[in-house]
Amino acid sequence: MLNTILQLSGGIGLFLLGMSLMTDSLKALAGEALRQWLVRFTDSSLKAMFSGITITVAVQSSTATTLATIGFVSAGVLTFSNAIGVIIGANIGTTSTGWMVALLGLKFSISQLALPLIAFGAILKLLAKDRLALIGMTIAGFGLLFFGIDVLQQAMAGIAASVDLSRWSTESLLSKLLLVLIGFVMTILLQSSSAAITATLAALASQAINLEQTLVLVIGQNVGTVVTAVLAAVGATTSAKRTAAVHVIFNIVTAIFAFLFLFPGFVWAYQYITFIHKMDPVLIVAVFHTCFSLLGALIFMPFIGKFEQVLLKLLPEQESSLTRYLDDSLYSVPALAIAATERVLLQTLTDIYRLFIKFIRGEIITPMINTNELDATIKKVESYLEHMSVPQSLSDQQRLILLLRLAVYIRVLRNDLQEVAQVELLKKQQILQELPLALAAQLEKQIEYLQMQPFSKFPIDFVNDLTQLEQVSSEQQEFLRQKIIHASVNHQLTASQTLELLAAQRWIVHLIAHTQKVAVLLQQDQEVIE
């Protein structure tokens, strides 16, 4: 019996490791595509649901899809009502694992094929780079997943021969509820409904349990996923809590309907409809699992608007508008964490530029500038970037490097803002007042591009204009410096006024250079993205 338990544990471990490798690699491969898909194909609840199904099937992880949804709701790119559709779709898409196990893992003995897949994937990971290395990890994970299923099946055959599970019949309501509880606990312990359902399918294929027991266990396993969602939302942003709430309510309500109506319907059909009775029980469970999620979609999709209103009232937004979507849970999908950080940095940059414009045009004075919120935002972004691990994808690595550079420039501009009072000195001198006004006009254009949704590439003409302004200011620096010194020599300026003007002139030249470098950097950023 001990050997059987060890074999069972090893099989589950191999499955989880394979699933983790495959999912992480697919998320890295599809990270940016995942982001673009959600932006383009979620403009209605129905399209959002199909997007959730498609993305989850592609990356084999409803968690990745859910986290992506959290990030884009927070960023304002995706409405919360459409996010509900994506989450419902993710619950349907995650049933693809059951179909994969039922049609391949338990129908055919592929353990001999699994080992070469693991070897080939590992070699590809070691020898190749970037996308090929990620594909290698995906292949190795796929092989490990099915090797784990084979080990699980053997262990379940041993359990069927040595343990009598007939006492867990589904004849009484209490027995059914106990089986639901067992399924619930299985998902919590394994931290994966896919692993719990796979172990259950292996037990069914080995005749350790019967079809009725399996169906009730699957209901409990689906409910068990809500614990992971709740734990992920503890201490997280309001968007994460709302998303978790959708997941919890969807699964619990669907489970109740499935227990009361879907389960009895499947049992009756299996007993009294001949062609269904002749079907492979494992395949019936895969159908049941999909019908479970489809039932939830039928219940919730017509009422998404009201569902959204209720959740918005129950969980009102409390975080800062700028930092509310810097969610730690997005770290597991690097492309999304990078996109969320980019959004905050671009808005922070916009806020800094607006302060410069207002001051140059005399709309505000130094005592009116309150930078406490700005400083808090910059500090939080820097902390968020510090905890972000280096992504595996080369394109994501390049995006992260550019974000780090942008964060440095924002810190430099924030320091420039401390000396914004220099503008008052420049505006009093006719030979110096043109530069700040020209800069203000360029900053206004930058803000227009920064506010575009989604953020688009800076036109090359605009970057060239700013570069030209930077060159002119640099070329004039020595000439204007000599003019100021000449005015001082002729006693038109005091010594202190001369020093102040020289410092102010140096400040505006540096500020123009910094804004030009930011524009060039953001243009590079878009070229990398495209």
Side-chain angles (χ1 to χ4, degrees):
M1 187 62 186
L2 179 61
N3 288 336
T4 302
I5 293 172
L6 291 174
Q7 192 175 28
L8 178 65
S9 303
I12 291 171
L14 286 168
F15 178 88
L16 287 172
L17 180 60
M19 180 64 76
S20 177
L21 279 175
M22 189 172 69
T23 299
D24 290 346
S25 305
L26 287 169
K27 283 191 294 185
L29 282 167
E32 183 57 25
L34 187 72
R35 185 174 81 98
Q36 292 176 357
W37 182 285
L38 278 173
V39 172
R40 291 181 61 188
F41 298 106
T42 54
D43 55 355
S44 71
S45 297
L46 195 60
K47 285 172 68 176
M49 185 185 76
F50 283 111
S51 294
I53 294 171
T54 305
I55 294 168
T56 305
V57 170
V59 301
Q60 282 297 296
S61 171
S62 58
T63 302
T65 308
T66 302
L67 292 177
T69 306
I70 292 171
F72 286 102
V73 170
S74 301
V77 177
L78 190 64
T79 65
F80 185 57
S81 60
N82 290 344
I84 296 171
V86 174
I87 294 162
I88 291 171
N91 276 278
I92 298 171
T94 197
T95 65
S96 63
T97 304
W99 282 100
M100 187 168 61
V101 172
L103 295 174
L104 295 175
L106 300 176
K107 287 293 248 182
F108 307 101
S109 180
I110 62 169
S111 58
Q112 292 182 341
L113 179 63
L115 291 173
L117 282 175
I118 295 169
F120 176 72
I123 292 169
L124 201 60
K125 170 68 174 84
L126 290 171
L127 300 181
K129 294 181 179 179
D130 198 31
R131 294 185 68 84
L132 274 178
L134 291 171
I135 291 170
M137 285 182 65
T138 304
I139 294 170
F142 189 77
L144 272 173
L145 186 147
F146 282 102
F147 187 68
I149 291 171
D150 189 70
V151 174
L152 265 176
Q153 203 169 1
Q154 294 175 30
M156 288 301 177
I159 289 175
S162 57
V163 179
D164 180 18
L165 296 175
S166 59
R167 66 179 180 274
W168 301 102
S169 66
T170 55
E171 294 179 0
S172 68
L173 178 62
L174 181 60
S175 296
K176 293 175 187 175
L177 292 175
L178 283 172
L179 284 168
V180 170
L181 180 62
I182 290 170
F184 180 81
V185 172
M186 282 177 70
T187 300
I188 294 173
L189 293 176
L190 297 177
Q191 285 293 293
S192 168
S193 61
S194 295
I197 290 170
T198 300
T200 304
L201 290 174
L204 176 63
S206 304
Q207 298 182 346
I209 56 176
N210 60 35
L211 178 64
E212 289 83 356
Q213 291 170 316
T214 304
L215 296 180
V216 180
L217 283 169
V218 167
I219 293 174
Q221 287 156 359
N222 272 279
V223 177
T225 61
V226 305
V227 176
T228 306
V230 170
L231 290 175
V234 172
T237 61
T238 303
S239 295
K241 291 174 182 175
R242 288 173 182 167
T243 307
V246 172
H247 189 60
V248 169
I249 295 169
F250 177 87
N251 279 277
I252 290 177
V253 172
T254 306
I256 293 170
F257 276 86
F259 186 82
L260 295 176
F261 304 108
L262 198 62
F263 166 70
F266 265 73
V267 172
W268 179 88
Y270 182 69
Q271 290 174 347
Y272 296 104
I273 300 176
T274 306
F275 83 91
I276 293 179
H277 188 77
K278 291 180 179 179
M279 285 176 63
D280 184 350
V282 173
L283 198 58
I284 293 174
V285 175
V287 174
F288 176 81
H289 190 201
T290 302
C291 288
F292 179 99
S293 295
L294 288 173
L295 175 65
L298 290 172
I299 294 170
F300 282 92
M301 286 299 288
F303 306 104
I304 278 184
K306 292 181 179 179
F307 191 29
E308 176 190 16
Q309 291 173 8
V310 170
L311 287 174
L312 291 176
K313 287 181 181 178
L314 290 175
L315 296 167
E317 187 63 67
Q318 296 177 342
E319 290 98 358
S320 162
S321 59
L322 269 184
T323 59
R324 61 191 170 90
Y325 51 96
L326 291 180
D327 198 317
D328 290 350
S329 59
L330 293 178
Y331 287 142
S332 64
V333 189
L336 301 174
I338 290 168
T341 310
E342 181 184 73
R343 179 72 179 163
V344 178
L345 286 174
L346 294 179
Q347 185 58 50
T348 303
L349 186 62
T350 299
D351 291 343
I352 292 174
Y353 283 168
R354 280 177 176 157
L355 286 173
F356 279 125
I357 292 169
K358 287 181 178 179
F359 204 93
I360 289 170
R361 292 180 175 167
E363 296 174 13
I364 57 173
I365 56 176
T366 307
M368 295 172 63
I369 298 178
N370 185 348
T371 60
N372 291 337
E373 187 175 347
L374 178 64
D375 292 337
T377 300
I378 293 173
K379 187 175 180 180
K380 183 166 183 179
V381 170
E382 289 174 347
S383 174
Y384 192 75
L385 284 168
E386 282 177 9
H387 291 88
M388 193 182 297
S389 58
V390 178
Q392 298 180 51
S393 168
L394 181 60
S395 62
D396 285 343
Q397 289 175 15
Q398 292 173 329
R399 285 167 59 83
L400 179 57
I401 290 169
L402 288 167
L403 275 188
L404 292 170
R405 291 175 61 192
L406 181 59
V408 171
Y409 280 126
I410 285 175
R411 175 61 72 179
V412 170
L413 288 167
R414 168 64 186 89
N415 292 335
D416 289 338
L417 192 61
Q418 289 179 322
E419 300 179 36
V420 74
Q422 305 277 17
V423 172
E424 292 298 324
L425 294 172
L426 297 172
K427 288 164 68 176
K428 292 176 182 177
Q429 301 296 321
Q430 188 174 1
I431 60 172
L432 298 174
Q433 61 187 223
E434 291 182 6
L435 280 179
L437 293 174
L439 175 61
Q442 291 294 329
L443 292 181
E444 276 193 330
K445 291 181 182 178
Q446 278 211 45
I447 288 173
E448 288 179 16
Y449 296 122
L450 290 171
Q451 292 295 290
M452 288 183 179
Q453 295 295 332
F455 176 53
S456 59
K457 180 179 178 179
F458 278 178
I460 189 66
D461 291 342
F462 166 70
V463 178
N464 288 341
D465 288 345
L466 195 52
T467 301
Q468 187 177 4
L469 177 64
E470 189 271 334
Q471 290 173 347
V472 168
S473 66
S474 297
E475 291 168 0
Q476 288 182 346
Q477 186 172 11
E478 182 60 27
F479 170 75
L480 293 174
R481 181 172 171 273
Q482 291 300 326
K483 294 275 283 184
I484 294 170
I485 293 173
H486 180 73
S488 176
V489 170
N490 292 331
H491 304 289
Q492 296 172 353
L493 296 170
T494 64
S496 62
Q497 287 175 329
T498 301
L499 291 173
E500 287 174 351
L501 275 176
L502 288 172
Q505 184 222 8
R506 186 168 56 250
W507 173 82
I508 191 66
V509 170
H510 288 173
L511 179 58
I512 292 171
H514 296 155
T515 56
Q516 185 268 344
K517 288 177 181 177
V518 168
V520 172
L521 180 67
L522 290 176
Q523 187 186 36
Q524 291 174 349
D525 188 14
Q526 294 311 300
E527 288 172 354
V528 169
I529 291 171
E530 292 171 359

